[in-house]
């Protein structure tokens, strides 16, 4: 793992010399140094006579010179930015030693007296804690430089806070300084008011955090319900699909049976009878034809004359016998079409009923449950808004009572009090932070 020194060197190499931030879309200049593309464009806009100087080597470069993106450096900087910069811990403050102890063996200080301007260890601070003469001396945590807590104009310790200009002031500033006539409060009371205001803000913040957590839970529940809805709908669709496939097969089988039954009840029987009659006629003719051919092939006159009369009689009989002539047969397709259309209407009616029931099960019932849940959520939100408005009214009333108490504190505050909400304004602090960041 890279040490702090190596991390510092790496961050320095990946820092743009113009914006002093990690490289963003670095481009290579003609002199060999790298700058962010936005920084190069800024230098070109401020250039004179079409030339600008490299901030690293001060070499003069043409504004129209070629620029090449340094992809390797860009990838390294992006990876370093993604991993996060190492946290630089501030060095610990130097230890504060007791001013009463000998220089060679000074014990660490535990308190600093702002009036005596000395830091004391646990042994030497005891008189400030026990003797009545030091009761009015303000004690604070050990300070390395007491001048941080003293007014530079009057060389007195800060004891008050100017609410108008939001600065620390001393006693002289409230009387003859530039803060005369301003709204002044003691540091202790100012801290008390600010803490109360922060507590109010904290309560509001807690309520908002609770609402966001509830919203997240609701979104998670909605996502789970949506997944359950999809799975249920797919299950219903599978069941209905299987049923429709069975019904479609039955419907086609019914149509097939209708066709067969219709053909067998009417023209089918006539065709069978005609087929048997024609077959019988063909058998008689073939028998007579066979006898005739056998007689024609006879060479013996005696046998020829002997068989001639019987064969000639058989042939004459076959020729005189009338042949069966089948008439034109056609299927009655109109009746069959009516039957098939009736079957189709039954199938369509059953299909429509099943699909309507599926839609009712999948969509309408779930929609009713969702509307009930949304109604309950709206009721909860309305209750939260009512509670928030009531709490705001209560807080305003509490602040009014606190302001009345602060106004009656005495001569120290001189009837120049201000409500905690006016003293602590989060929006103004956010604006100050935005200005400082810009």
């Amino acid at each position: 793992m890279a040490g702090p020194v190596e991390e510092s060197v790496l961050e320095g190499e990946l820092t743009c010399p113009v914006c002093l931030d990690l490289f963003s879309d670095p481009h290579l200049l003609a002199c060999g140094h790298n700058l962010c593309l936005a920084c190069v464009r800024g230098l070109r806009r401020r250039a004179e006579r079409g030339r600008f100087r490299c901030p690293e080597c001060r070499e003069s470069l043409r504004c129209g010179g070629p620029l090449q993106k340094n992809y390797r450096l860009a990838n390294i900087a992006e990876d370093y930015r993604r991993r996060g910069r190492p946290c630089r811990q501030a060095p610990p403050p130097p230890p504060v030693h007791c001013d009463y102890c000998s220089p060679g063996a000074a014990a660490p200080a535990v308190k600093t007296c702002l009036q005596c301007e000395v830091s004391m260890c646990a042994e030497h601070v005891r008189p400030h804690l026990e003797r009545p003469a030091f009761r009015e001396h303000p004690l604070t945590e050990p300070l390395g430089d007491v001048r941080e807590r003293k007014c530079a104009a009057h060389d007195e310790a800060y004891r008050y806070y100017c609410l108008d200009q939001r600065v620390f002031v001393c006693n002289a500033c409230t009387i003859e300084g530039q803060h005369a006539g301003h709204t002044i409060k003691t540091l202790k009371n100012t801290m008390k008011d600010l803490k109360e205001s922060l507590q109010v803000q904290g309560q509001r913040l807690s309520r908002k955090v609770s609402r966001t957590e509830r919203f997240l839970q609701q979104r998670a529940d909605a996502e789970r319900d949506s997944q359950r809805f999809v799975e249920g709908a797919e299950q219903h669709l599978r069941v209905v699909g299987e049923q429709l496939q069975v019904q479609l097969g039955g419907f086609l089988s019914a149509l097939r049976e209708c066709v067969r039954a219709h053909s067998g009840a009417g023209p089918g029987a006539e065709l069978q009878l005609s087929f048997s009659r024609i077959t019988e006629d063909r058998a008689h003719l073939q028998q007579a034809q066979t006898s005739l051919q056998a007689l024609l092939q006879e060479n013996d006159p005696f046998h020829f004359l002997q068989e001639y009369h019987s064969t000639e009689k058989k042939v004459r009989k076959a020729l005189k016998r009338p042949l069966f002539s089948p008439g034109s047969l056609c299927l009655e397709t109109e009746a069959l079409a009516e039957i098939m259309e009736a079957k189709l209407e039954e199938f369509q009616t059953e299909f429509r009923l099943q699909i309507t029931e599926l839609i009712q099960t999948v969509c309408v019932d779930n929609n009713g449950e969702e509307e009930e849940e949304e109604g309950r959520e709206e009721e909860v939100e309305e209750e939260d808004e009512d509670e928030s408005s009531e709490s705001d009214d209560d807080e305003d009333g509490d602040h009014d009572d606190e302001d009345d108490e602060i106004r009656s504190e005495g001569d120290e505050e001189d009837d120049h009090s201000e409500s905690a909400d006016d003293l602590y304004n989060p929006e103004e602090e956010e604006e100050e932070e935005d200005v400082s960041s810009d």
Side-chain angles (χ1 to χ4, degrees):
M1 181 181 292
V5 177
E6 296 178 358
E7 290 285 349
S8 177
V9 172
L10 178 60
E11 184 174 357
E13 293 295 330
L14 298 177
T15 300
C16 175
V18 177
C19 61
L20 301 180
D21 198 358
L22 293 180
F23 281 116
S24 176
D25 195 9
H27 279 65
L28 187 65
L29 301 179
C31 60
H33 295 100
N34 293 278
L35 296 178
C36 299
L37 180 59
C39 298
V40 176
R41 291 174 177 173
L43 292 176
R44 287 180 170 180
R45 285 195 299 268
R46 296 189 297 271
E48 296 180 357
R49 298 180 181 178
R51 303 187 71 85
F52 68 97
R53 292 186 177 275
C54 172
E56 290 281 352
C57 61
R58 308 305 298 171
E59 181 178 348
S60 180
L61 304 173
R62 292 187 299 105
C63 292
L67 292 176
Q68 178 64 36
K69 182 176 180 179
N70 194 335
Y71 291 95
R72 187 179 298 275
L73 182 61
N75 294 333
I76 296 174
E78 182 63 26
D79 180 70
Y80 187 78
R81 183 184 291 105
R82 189 184 305 109
R83 289 188 291 109
R85 299 184 180 183
C87 298
R88 296 182 178 179
Q89 298 180 353
V96 181
H97 299 286
C98 179
D99 294 330
Y100 289 107
C101 295
S102 57
V110 296
K111 292 291 181 181
T112 296
C113 179
L114 297 179
Q115 184 167 346
C116 299
E117 299 183 5
V118 291
S119 298
M120 297 165 285
C121 62
E123 182 66 24
H124 291 100
V125 79
R126 191 175 299 170
H128 276 73
L129 300 176
E130 298 176 353
R131 295 182 184 180
F134 298 103
R135 185 174 299 169
E136 299 297 330
H137 287 206
L139 297 178
T140 184
E141 297 299 322
L143 297 175
D145 188 3
V146 184
R147 290 175 297 179
E148 297 177 358
R149 299 291 186 92
K150 294 182 65 176
C151 177
H154 302 98
D155 198 24
E156 290 186 11
Y158 290 126
R159 295 196 177 204
Y160 303 98
Y161 190 79
C162 177
L163 302 180
D164 295 338
Q165 297 186 359
R166 297 184 179 182
V167 294
F168 297 100
V169 294
C170 64
N171 192 21
C173 291
T174 62
I175 299 174
E176 59 184 14
Q178 59 179 349
H179 299 279
H182 289 185
T183 304
I184 305 298
K185 275 190 178 183
T186 61
L187 297 180
K188 184 177 181 180
N189 289 332
T190 304
M191 180 181 67
K192 177 183 176 182
D193 294 340
L194 288 176
K195 283 186 176 181
E196 291 176 354
S197 178
L198 288 177
Q199 288 176 356
V200 173
Q201 300 296 333
Q203 293 174 0
R204 295 178 179 176
L205 186 61
S206 299
R207 287 197 298 270
K208 285 195 172 184
V209 170
S210 300
R211 291 186 65 185
T212 56
E213 291 177 352
R214 188 171 67 251
F215 291 157
L216 290 175
Q217 184 63 34
Q218 291 174 355
R219 293 308 97 189
D221 295 342
E223 184 177 359
R224 185 174 59 255
D225 294 340
S226 177
Q227 183 65 24
R228 191 184 304 115
F229 167 77
V230 172
E231 293 176 356
E234 291 179 352
Q235 180 65 24
H236 286 296
L237 289 173
R238 282 195 296 270
V239 173
V240 173
E242 294 174 357
Q243 295 176 356
L244 290 178
Q245 288 180 356
V246 174
Q247 293 177 2
L248 180 60
F251 170 68
L252 295 178
S253 299
L255 294 182
R256 195 177 299 112
E257 292 296 331
C258 289
V259 173
R260 291 177 179 177
H262 186 75
S263 61
E270 296 180 2
L271 289 175
Q272 186 68 24
L273 179 61
S274 300
F275 179 77
S276 61
R277 294 282 300 274
I278 295 172
T279 303
E280 184 180 355
D281 290 342
R282 187 182 62 177
H284 287 290
L285 292 174
Q286 286 179 351
Q287 186 179 3
Q289 186 180 16
T290 302
S291 300
L292 178 63
Q293 290 177 357
L295 182 62
L296 291 175
Q297 293 178 2
E298 181 64 43
N299 295 323
D300 188 359
F302 181 81
H303 286 97
F304 177 81
L305 294 174
Q306 187 179 9
E307 296 293 334
Y308 170 79
H309 294 286
S310 60
T311 302
E312 191 270 340
K313 184 178 180 180
K314 186 184 297 184
V315 171
R316 192 184 308 114
K317 184 179 180 181
L319 292 174
K320 290 181 177 181
R321 182 179 181 176
L323 296 178
F324 175 78
S325 177
S328 61
L329 299 176
C330 60
L331 296 176
E332 296 181 1
T333 55
E334 295 182 359
L336 179 61
E338 293 178 358
I339 296 175
M340 296 179 71
E341 288 178 358
K343 295 289 184 182
L344 177 60
E345 290 180 359
E346 293 178 1
F347 177 76
Q348 289 178 345
T349 302
E350 189 173 358
F351 176 80
R352 187 179 297 105
L353 289 176
Q354 288 189 351
I355 298 300
T356 304
E357 184 179 357
L358 174 64
I359 295 173
Q360 178 74 21
T361 303
V362 173
C363 300
V364 179
D365 295 342
N366 291 327
N367 189 19
E369 295 177 358
E370 292 177 357
E371 290 178 355
E372 292 179 359
E373 292 179 358
E374 290 177 358
R376 288 195 294 269
E377 292 178 1
E378 291 178 357
E379 291 178 359
V380 172
E381 292 180 358
E382 290 177 358
E383 291 176 359
D384 293 340
E385 292 177 357
D386 295 339
E387 292 177 0
S388 177
S389 61
E390 291 177 0
S391 62
D392 293 341
D393 296 338
D394 296 339
E395 290 165 2
D396 294 338
D398 294 339
H399 287 309
D400 294 339
D401 297 338
E402 292 172 1
D403 293 340
D404 295 338
E405 293 177 0
I406 294 171
R407 292 192 185 92
S408 60
E409 282 182 355
D411 296 337
E412 278 188 353
E413 300 178 7
D414 224 3
D415 292 338
H416 297 295
S417 63
E418 187 176 3
S419 65
D421 288 338
D422 296 337
L423 182 61
Y424 178 78
N425 191 343
E427 295 179 357
E428 293 181 0
E429 289 191 359
E430 292 178 358
E431 293 177 358
E432 292 177 0
E433 291 177 359
D434 295 338
V435 172
S436 61
S437 63
D438 294 339

